[in-house]
Amino acid sequence: MRQRIENLFRGERVLALAALLIFSSVTLALEWKVGVAELAVAALLLLYYLFRRRRRAAQLADVFESVAYRTDSATETAMLSFPLSVAAFESSSGELIWANDLFWETVGSPEDKEGVKITELLPELPLHWLEEGKNVCPELFTLNGRIYSPEGTAVPRRGKNAGISVVYLRELTELEELRQEYADSRPVEMVIIVDNYEELMKPLTDRQRIELRGKLDDVIEKWCSGRGGLMRRFDRDRYMFIFEHRHLQDFTGQRFSLLDEIEQVTGAGGMHATASIGVGLDGAGFEESFSFASLAAEMAMSRGGDQAVVKNRYGFEFFGGRGAEVETRSAVHARVVAASLRDLIEESGQVYIMGHRYADLDTVGAAAGLVALCRKLEKNAALVLGEGPNASEPLLSGLWKTAGYENALLTPQEAMLRLQRDTLLIVVDTNRPEQVEDRALLESVANLAVIDHHRRADTFIGNAAVEYLEPFASSAGELVTELLCELMEPSELREQEADALLSGIAMDTKNFTIRSGERTFIAASWLNRAGADTTRVKILLQNGMEETVARYNIMRHAENYRGIAVAALEEPQNRVVASQAADELLNIRGITASVVFYPTADGGVDFSARSIGALNVQVLLEKLGGGGNMSAAGAQMKNITSAEAKEQLYGAIDEYMATE
């Protein structure tokens, strides 16, 4: 067990003996009697030095053995089955000085232990923590299939003696296996919702409904089988599945294949069933995990359905959702939301309406519609708008000339000063707190309502009393118009307000060429009866000559990357112009999506993306921290160069394509 501790005693003593031997040899040549005497003295000193060195090495080895013995005895006394493997080595060279028997049994004893280094015996053992003055290695160490926690200490060099480090390998294999088993066996709760259950069942007879429900049950039960879990239907369109965490990786690795398998079930007219899946894990108990799962399922539905969302106590993870959104809106739902919003407005003392930063026509148009509703309900309402540039100046300048709008515009600072306990804040055209015009105002108001057509992101305004989030809708203007249809007559809406709402719808649908469904045209028809004029709307959508030239200059920088037109700019751009350029790029044959990005004055990069094909730009830009919907999305990245942003964008595109 003893190693060459003599290495600790190198230095000036050895040099002194060597000098004495040389001096004696020279004297022997000159005067042999004196030389012989000096050689005899030198030999005696050398023998005494070797004797003392070996004796100190033996004493040091006995000390190490005694420490190891006491440590093992104390461990056994504490009823812990973790005997320690102990080794001491020279800190600078790593040369092993001493090790106990258990250490050699653990690492394997070499034939020649002379001069062996600990880095040769255990090349994967980290030692940096000893140099940093720590007593426990922050990383576990695996050797021959066993798991160890390296612990120890380092004694720095003192005077002529080299520094010594001592390492203990505490075996934690059984403890780690127990910990892993505990983590693997934690319960996970899943809520499965059939998105279009009502539409599937509506045209069927009772017998056909029973058969279709049986098909849905069979597909879901087959997908859940083999995991040792418990699956039950707890509502006509909702299922719960409880399973162990060890199986979650199977589901995520297959990207929740139920989303594809359930489409095999079709109803009358060939309509395919789709599902939203919510997974809740890491809850303090079953109740909290079920709350996570329910929230995740609602998140999946609010993002358009046909996708899975995993929720833990730290955030969300999204799977699927690349296809077209599943429309779950109904006139009944709009009527219920309209009644709730009316009650909320009537109970409030004043109403603020706020959209996202750099407000566009859709934001201002939706706000104008809500101002009209508040006027009917005899409540004061104001649009909260920052003093910076926005994308709706022509519309705003026309509205402020309308009677009753003189005091309907407030800056965030003015709104904060006039804030009351019973103030209602309605957020339109965004559901993310970091995107609103003024986050401080959002966090200061107790009564909230949110109306938005974008998919819900992992960060969202979660404390709203009324939510109307419909990603299938074309625009916020369309959603507000639906609510007005339930609460107002067309004649009660002013022409300027009708123009504002229609301009927002026209902008987001590209003049009704994309994302235009039946309800979009119903809303446009109602606005037409209220006095909206398409010619005036066309004027609101016009661009100046400078903006038009800038748009085509952006398009000149576009390149085709895997069917996506990417325009990378090196200088800041007008946000509206960049968005319009992204729209124009979709007119190129063979292009199904486009992305325009450019640097900002604060050292970041802004993205604007559009799509007319199967590629979901909202899912694509979520990888860069953005959001939106399937056909239009945006993102803002901080502290990044255009070159770095381009690399990350191409990486996100490659990742998206790889999972197609």
Side-chain angles (χ1 to χ4, degrees), residues 255 322 618-626 637 648 651-653 655-656 659:
R255 303 192 68 80
R322 299 188 175 194
Q618 187 259 347
V619 174
L620 176 63
L621 288 198
E622 270 188 343
K623 302 178 186 299
L624 304 179
M637 301 182 72
Q648 291 195 29
I653 294 173
E655 182 181 349
Y656 183 99
T659 54

PDB file of all heavy atoms in Angstrom, residues 255 322 618-626 637 648 651-653 655-656 659:
ATOM      1  N   ARG A 255     -43.059  12.759 -31.095  1.00  0.00           N
ATOM      2  CA  ARG A 255     -43.772  14.024 -31.278  1.00  0.00           C
ATOM      3  C   ARG A 255     -45.280  13.816 -31.209  1.00  0.00           C
ATOM      4  O   ARG A 255     -46.037  14.342 -32.005  1.00  0.00           O
ATOM      5  CB  ARG A 255     -43.359  14.716 -32.579  1.00  0.00           C
ATOM      6  CG  ARG A 255     -41.863  14.980 -32.675  1.00  0.00           C
ATOM      7  CD  ARG A 255     -41.524  15.915 -33.808  1.00  0.00           C
ATOM      8  NE  ARG A 255     -42.011  17.263 -33.570  1.00  0.00           N
ATOM      9  CZ  ARG A 255     -41.412  18.161 -32.801  1.00  0.00           C
ATOM     10  NH1 ARG A 255     -40.274  17.859 -32.182  1.00  0.00           N
ATOM     11  NH2 ARG A 255     -41.929  19.363 -32.645  1.00  0.00           N
ATOM     12  N   ARG A 322     -48.382  22.458 -36.825  1.00  0.00           N
ATOM     13  CA  ARG A 322     -47.862  23.011 -38.082  1.00  0.00           C
ATOM     14  C   ARG A 322     -48.948  23.153 -39.136  1.00  0.00           C
ATOM     15  O   ARG A 322     -48.793  23.913 -40.068  1.00  0.00           O
ATOM     16  CB  ARG A 322     -46.755  22.106 -38.624  1.00  0.00           C
ATOM     17  CG  ARG A 322     -45.584  22.011 -37.658  1.00  0.00           C
ATOM     18  CD  ARG A 322     -44.449  21.272 -38.298  1.00  0.00           C
ATOM     19  NE  ARG A 322     -43.288  21.288 -37.429  1.00  0.00           N
ATOM     20  CZ  ARG A 322     -42.072  20.966 -37.825  1.00  0.00           C
ATOM     21  NH1 ARG A 322     -41.861  20.600 -39.060  1.00  0.00           N
ATOM     22  NH2 ARG A 322     -41.060  21.005 -36.989  1.00  0.00           N
ATOM     23  N   GLN A 618     -45.140  30.649 -37.520  1.00  0.00           N
ATOM     24  CA  GLN A 618     -45.214  30.879 -36.078  1.00  0.00           C
ATOM     25  C   GLN A 618     -44.378  29.847 -35.328  1.00  0.00           C
ATOM     26  O   GLN A 618     -43.628  30.184 -34.415  1.00  0.00           O
ATOM     27  CB  GLN A 618     -46.671  30.816 -35.624  1.00  0.00           C
ATOM     28  CG  GLN A 618     -46.883  31.195 -34.178  1.00  0.00           C
ATOM     29  CD  GLN A 618     -47.045  29.994 -33.276  1.00  0.00           C
ATOM     30  OE1 GLN A 618     -47.227  28.889 -33.753  1.00  0.00           O
ATOM     31  NE2 GLN A 618     -46.986  30.221 -31.982  1.00  0.00           N
ATOM     32  N   VAL A 619     -44.468  28.579 -35.744  1.00  0.00           N
ATOM     33  CA  VAL A 619     -43.649  27.534 -35.131  1.00  0.00           C
ATOM     34  C   VAL A 619     -42.173  27.780 -35.424  1.00  0.00           C
ATOM     35  O   VAL A 619     -41.310  27.591 -34.559  1.00  0.00           O
ATOM     36  CB  VAL A 619     -44.083  26.142 -35.642  1.00  0.00           C
ATOM     37  CG1 VAL A 619     -43.149  25.060 -35.119  1.00  0.00           C
ATOM     38  CG2 VAL A 619     -45.515  25.849 -35.214  1.00  0.00           C
ATOM     39  N   LEU A 620     -41.871  28.251 -36.631  1.00  0.00           N
ATOM     40  CA  LEU A 620     -40.480  28.523 -37.005  1.00  0.00           C
ATOM     41  C   LEU A 620     -39.881  29.626 -36.141  1.00  0.00           C
ATOM     42  O   LEU A 620     -38.792  29.471 -35.572  1.00  0.00           O
ATOM     43  CB  LEU A 620     -40.410  28.902 -38.484  1.00  0.00           C
ATOM     44  CG  LEU A 620     -39.033  29.317 -39.018  1.00  0.00           C
ATOM     45  CD1 LEU A 620     -38.054  28.158 -38.914  1.00  0.00           C
ATOM     46  CD2 LEU A 620     -39.139  29.810 -40.452  1.00  0.00           C
ATOM     47  N   LEU A 621     -40.577  30.741 -36.003  1.00  0.00           N
ATOM     48  CA  LEU A 621     -40.018  31.869 -35.262  1.00  0.00           C
ATOM     49  C   LEU A 621     -40.119  31.687 -33.753  1.00  0.00           C
ATOM     50  O   LEU A 621     -39.451  32.415 -33.005  1.00  0.00           O
ATOM     51  CB  LEU A 621     -40.697  33.175 -35.682  1.00  0.00           C
ATOM     52  CG  LEU A 621     -40.337  33.701 -37.078  1.00  0.00           C
ATOM     53  CD1 LEU A 621     -40.707  35.170 -37.203  1.00  0.00           C
ATOM     54  CD2 LEU A 621     -38.855  33.535 -37.385  1.00  0.00           C
ATOM     55  N   GLU A 622     -40.922  30.749 -33.297  1.00  0.00           N
ATOM     56  CA  GLU A 622     -40.916  30.442 -31.863  1.00  0.00           C
ATOM     57  C   GLU A 622     -39.546  29.953 -31.420  1.00  0.00           C
ATOM     58  O   GLU A 622     -39.141  30.153 -30.273  1.00  0.00           O
ATOM     59  CB  GLU A 622     -41.973  29.388 -31.529  1.00  0.00           C
ATOM     60  CG  GLU A 622     -43.319  29.969 -31.190  1.00  0.00           C
ATOM     61  CD  GLU A 622     -44.296  28.933 -30.675  1.00  0.00           C
ATOM     62  OE1 GLU A 622     -44.054  27.726 -30.883  1.00  0.00           O
ATOM     63  OE2 GLU A 622     -45.297  29.322 -30.070  1.00  0.00           O
ATOM     64  N   LYS A 623     -38.827  29.317 -32.334  1.00  0.00           N
ATOM     65  CA  LYS A 623     -37.475  28.851 -32.014  1.00  0.00           C
ATOM     66  C   LYS A 623     -36.525  30.021 -31.780  1.00  0.00           C
ATOM     67  O   LYS A 623     -35.459  29.844 -31.174  1.00  0.00           O
ATOM     68  CB  LYS A 623     -36.953  27.958 -33.145  1.00  0.00           C
ATOM     69  CG  LYS A 623     -37.813  26.727 -33.443  1.00  0.00           C
ATOM     70  CD  LYS A 623     -37.246  25.924 -34.603  1.00  0.00           C
ATOM     71  CE  LYS A 623     -38.181  24.780 -34.988  1.00  0.00           C
ATOM     72  NZ  LYS A 623     -38.393  23.833 -33.895  1.00  0.00           N
ATOM     73  N   LEU A 624     -36.915  31.207 -32.242  1.00  0.00           N
ATOM     74  CA  LEU A 624     -36.099  32.411 -32.048  1.00  0.00           C
ATOM     75  C   LEU A 624     -36.723  33.342 -31.020  1.00  0.00           C
ATOM     76  O   LEU A 624     -36.324  34.503 -30.909  1.00  0.00           O
ATOM     77  CB  LEU A 624     -35.922  33.145 -33.388  1.00  0.00           C
ATOM     78  CG  LEU A 624     -35.334  32.324 -34.541  1.00  0.00           C
ATOM     79  CD1 LEU A 624     -35.244  33.169 -35.798  1.00  0.00           C
ATOM     80  CD2 LEU A 624     -33.980  31.756 -34.170  1.00  0.00           C
ATOM     81  N   GLY A 625     -37.715  32.839 -30.279  1.00  0.00           N
ATOM     82  CA  GLY A 625     -38.346  33.637 -29.242  1.00  0.00           C
ATOM     83  C   GLY A 625     -39.508  34.472 -29.718  1.00  0.00           C
ATOM     84  O   GLY A 625     -39.984  35.344 -28.990  1.00  0.00           O
ATOM     85  N   GLY A 626     -39.996  34.225 -30.947  1.00  0.00           N
ATOM     86  CA  GLY A 626     -41.087  35.011 -31.500  1.00  0.00           C
ATOM     87  C   GLY A 626     -42.421  34.320 -31.392  1.00  0.00           C
ATOM     88  O   GLY A 626     -42.605  33.364 -30.643  1.00  0.00           O
ATOM     89  N   MET A 637     -34.886  39.749 -31.348  1.00  0.00           N
ATOM     90  CA  MET A 637     -33.753  39.191 -30.616  1.00  0.00           C
ATOM     91  C   MET A 637     -32.862  40.330 -30.146  1.00  0.00           C
ATOM     92  O   MET A 637     -32.625  41.290 -30.878  1.00  0.00           O
ATOM     93  CB  MET A 637     -32.971  38.210 -31.495  1.00  0.00           C
ATOM     94  CG  MET A 637     -33.794  37.042 -32.014  1.00  0.00           C
ATOM     95  SD  MET A 637     -32.831  35.867 -33.013  1.00  0.00           S
ATOM     96  CE  MET A 637     -31.842  35.097 -31.724  1.00  0.00           C
ATOM     97  N   GLN A 648     -28.623  31.602 -36.800  1.00  0.00           N
ATOM     98  CA  GLN A 648     -29.652  30.985 -35.964  1.00  0.00           C
ATOM     99  C   GLN A 648     -30.929  30.730 -36.758  1.00  0.00           C
ATOM    100  O   GLN A 648     -31.607  29.716 -36.552  1.00  0.00           O
ATOM    101  CB  GLN A 648     -29.942  31.867 -34.752  1.00  0.00           C
ATOM    102  CG  GLN A 648     -28.800  31.924 -33.753  1.00  0.00           C
ATOM    103  CD  GLN A 648     -29.233  32.500 -32.419  1.00  0.00           C
ATOM    104  OE1 GLN A 648     -30.389  32.373 -32.027  1.00  0.00           O
ATOM    105  NE2 GLN A 648     -28.309  33.132 -31.711  1.00  0.00           N
ATOM    106  N   GLY A 651     -30.413  27.721 -38.869  1.00  0.00           N
ATOM    107  CA  GLY A 651     -30.451  26.546 -38.006  1.00  0.00           C
ATOM    108  C   GLY A 651     -31.874  26.178 -37.636  1.00  0.00           C
ATOM    109  O   GLY A 651     -32.236  24.987 -37.592  1.00  0.00           O
ATOM    110  N   ALA A 652     -32.715  27.187 -37.361  1.00  0.00           N
ATOM    111  CA  ALA A 652     -34.118  26.930 -37.040  1.00  0.00           C
ATOM    112  C   ALA A 652     -34.858  26.344 -38.237  1.00  0.00           C
ATOM    113  O   ALA A 652     -35.695  25.437 -38.090  1.00  0.00           O
ATOM    114  CB  ALA A 652     -34.792  28.223 -36.577  1.00  0.00           C
ATOM    115  N   ILE A 653     -34.539  26.848 -39.438  1.00  0.00           N
ATOM    116  CA  ILE A 653     -35.169  26.302 -40.651  1.00  0.00           C
ATOM    117  C   ILE A 653     -34.760  24.849 -40.850  1.00  0.00           C
ATOM    118  O   ILE A 653     -35.596  23.981 -41.150  1.00  0.00           O
ATOM    119  CB  ILE A 653     -34.791  27.145 -41.882  1.00  0.00           C
ATOM    120  CG1 ILE A 653     -35.392  28.553 -41.767  1.00  0.00           C
ATOM    121  CG2 ILE A 653     -35.258  26.474 -43.164  1.00  0.00           C
ATOM    122  CD1 ILE A 653     -34.945  29.515 -42.859  1.00  0.00           C
ATOM    123  N   GLU A 655     -33.806  22.724 -38.571  1.00  0.00           N
ATOM    124  CA  GLU A 655     -34.451  21.915 -37.530  1.00  0.00           C
ATOM    125  C   GLU A 655     -35.919  21.687 -37.867  1.00  0.00           C
ATOM    126  O   GLU A 655     -36.448  20.587 -37.679  1.00  0.00           O
ATOM    127  CB  GLU A 655     -34.320  22.616 -36.182  1.00  0.00           C
ATOM    128  CG  GLU A 655     -34.917  21.830 -35.020  1.00  0.00           C
ATOM    129  CD  GLU A 655     -34.787  22.566 -33.703  1.00  0.00           C
ATOM    130  OE1 GLU A 655     -34.057  23.578 -33.647  1.00  0.00           O
ATOM    131  OE2 GLU A 655     -35.430  22.130 -32.727  1.00  0.00           O
ATOM    132  N   TYR A 656     -36.571  22.729 -38.369  1.00  0.00           N
ATOM    133  CA  TYR A 656     -37.981  22.602 -38.753  1.00  0.00           C
ATOM    134  C   TYR A 656     -38.141  21.589 -39.882  1.00  0.00           C
ATOM    135  O   TYR A 656     -39.014  20.718 -39.830  1.00  0.00           O
ATOM    136  CB  TYR A 656     -38.509  23.965 -39.176  1.00  0.00           C
ATOM    137  CG  TYR A 656     -39.983  23.994 -39.531  1.00  0.00           C
ATOM    138  CD1 TYR A 656     -40.927  24.427 -38.607  1.00  0.00           C
ATOM    139  CD2 TYR A 656     -40.425  23.592 -40.785  1.00  0.00           C
ATOM    140  CE1 TYR A 656     -42.271  24.455 -38.920  1.00  0.00           C
ATOM    141  CE2 TYR A 656     -41.770  23.613 -41.112  1.00  0.00           C
ATOM    142  CZ  TYR A 656     -42.697  24.045 -40.185  1.00  0.00           C
ATOM    143  OH  TYR A 656     -44.029  24.059 -40.500  1.00  0.00           O
ATOM    144  N   THR A 659     -37.817  17.781 -39.031  1.00  0.00           N
ATOM    145  CA  THR A 659     -38.924  17.114 -38.341  1.00  0.00           C
ATOM    146  C   THR A 659     -40.186  17.075 -39.184  1.00  0.00           C
ATOM    147  O   THR A 659     -41.265  16.767 -38.685  1.00  0.00           O
ATOM    148  CB  THR A 659     -39.228  17.825 -37.013  1.00  0.00           C
ATOM    149  OG1 THR A 659     -39.458  19.213 -37.262  1.00  0.00           O
ATOM    150  CG2 THR A 659     -38.056  17.680 -36.053  1.00  0.00           C
TER     151      THR A 659
END
